[in-house]
Amino acid sequence: MPFTLTAQRHTLRLPQVSLSYLEWKQGNEPVLCLHGLADHGLVWADFAQQLGAPYHCIAPDLRGHGDSAKPPTGYYCDDIIGDLEGLLDFLGWSSAHVVSHSWGAKIAAIWATRSPDRFRSLVLVDPFFINAMPGWMQLSFPILYKTLPFLKMMGPFPSREAAQATAQGLKQFRGWSGLQAAVFEQAIEAKAGGQWGSKFTVPARNETFVDSMRMAGLTRSLEIPTLLIQPEQGLNRTDFQLQPYRTYLQKLQIKQVPGNHWPFLVEPAAFNRTVGAFLQAQSG
């Protein structure tokens, strides 16, 4: 069944980049949704639409992704956080509930560490590389670029049909719902020579990986109410992986949900209930 989007799309022109974002204004309680690497704001559509009142949800395409600007450089966490600060200022939000996924969750953790007053609460959905990683791991980047599911859609593909065939075999598109089909369509574009590939750019991929390795997501104690979503088939399943969250997040809840690294796409009903209940408790 086709997915019906109820959001409005806007473009904000900041001094350095333009940001495209989706807006669901069903109330006044601010919620900012941050997608993971190589995704875009539409991945949050089912969650935002099911959340409903009293929430005002914003889901940007972060720079280098989706319909936002794609400069040749400028993809470090300082750049992304600067964009998000500019977006909140434009919206007139002094703070927000921040729901974040994977690489976006690492950006959110760094941002929260620097500016905790910007956060009414924080939801971390299966964060990716929350700790700093040793420099020698950069030697593995060429392998990761070819094997990580969220990078396999970069292409190039000889046709749109070939791109869709690849997408339907990936974890984030398991089940191929109407929303997943819409997410796929929003993620790709025609390239030179009749080929197809992701709107996500190679410069964004390369700088982001370097930055993600060198930066630790959590470095000091935080009193922000935080929910860590732990998918059954996600990345953060061992005590060692969970240790940074338990060390630095003093108001931490950990909730398991069904699905893989993209629970909001593959098991949205359970994800929406879990995160919705947490936000309701913080908003009330």
Side-chain angles (χ1 to χ4, degrees):
M1 181 180 298
F3 180 78
T4 301
L5 180 65
T6 62
Q8 291 185 316
R9 183 171 286 279
H10 306 282
T11 298
L12 171 62
R13 302 193 184 282
L14 296 169
Q16 302 299 323
V17 295
S18 61
L19 287 184
S20 179
Y21 65 93
L22 295 172
E23 178 179 38
W24 295 263
K25 192 170 185 180
Q26 301 165 105
N28 295 316
E29 192 73 14
V31 178
L32 178 67
C33 299
L34 306 180
H35 62 77
L37 198 65
D39 281 334
H40 50 81
L42 187 62
V43 299
W44 298 111
D46 189 79
F47 167 70
Q49 290 173 198
Q50 294 300 319
L51 193 59
Y55 299 100
H56 181 180
C57 292
I58 298 291
D61 296 346
L62 301 176
R63 63 164 66 195
H65 296 76
D67 291 342
S68 288
K70 300 171 179 68
T73 189
Y75 295 100
Y76 295 97
C77 68
D78 290 348
D79 303 307
I80 307 298
I81 291 170
D83 294 345
L84 296 173
E85 292 275 1
L87 177 59
L88 261 62
D89 290 344
F90 170 78
L91 295 167
W93 293 359
S94 60
S95 62
H97 304 283
V98 178
V99 180
S100 55
H101 173 235
S102 193
W103 161 74
K106 184 163 189 175
I107 294 293
I110 295 169
W111 187 18
T113 300
R114 296 178 180 181
S115 303
D117 291 345
R118 283 292 203 181
F119 290 74
R120 300 188 183 194
S121 69
L122 175 59
V123 179
L124 302 171
V125 184
D126 208 22
F128 182 64
F129 288 150
I130 196 67
N131 287 323
M133 307 298 287
W136 57 262
M137 279 202 67
Q138 291 193 33
L139 297 174
S140 69
F141 285 4
I143 297 172
L144 294 176
Y145 293 160
K146 293 180 180 180
T147 58
L148 289 172
F150 52 87
L151 295 180
K152 287 188 176 181
M153 286 310 301
M154 293 195 71
F157 301 97
S159 65
R160 182 202 164 282
E161 291 72 23
Q164 180 173 325
T166 296
Q168 289 179 301
L170 297 177
K171 293 179 179 179
Q172 61 267 46
F173 295 111
R174 190 189 72 196
W176 199 246
S177 67
L179 173 59
Q180 289 166 315
V183 167
F184 162 75
E185 294 290 351
Q186 177 63 16
I188 64 166
E189 62 185 1
K191 303 289 187 179
Q195 294 184 316
W196 286 74
S198 176
K199 294 178 182 178
F200 179 57
T201 66
V202 170
R205 180 198 68 184
N206 294 348
E207 285 193 8
T208 296
F209 261 77
V210 170
D211 193 49
S212 293
M213 290 295 180
R214 71 181 180 87
M215 297 289 292
L218 294 167
T219 55
R220 69 181 180 91
S221 178
L222 295 174
E223 296 291 334
I224 300 166
T226 303
L227 173 63
L228 175 66
I229 292 291
Q230 187 184 34
E232 290 174 349
Q233 302 163 45
L235 304 176
N236 297 282
R237 286 180 277 178
T238 70
D239 287 340
F240 174 76
Q241 291 169 317
L242 296 174
Q243 186 269 334
Y245 310 103
R246 290 170 171 155
T247 298
Y248 293 108
L249 300 170
Q250 304 308 307
K251 296 181 179 179
L252 174 66
Q253 300 178 41
I254 300 176
K255 296 289 185 181
Q256 292 187 343
V257 297
N260 57 36
H261 186 56
W262 293 266
F264 43 84
L265 290 179
V266 300
E267 296 284 354
F271 177 86
N272 294 345
R273 285 194 304 270
T274 301
V275 178
F278 172 77
L279 291 177
Q280 185 177 28
Q282 310 313 314
S283 304

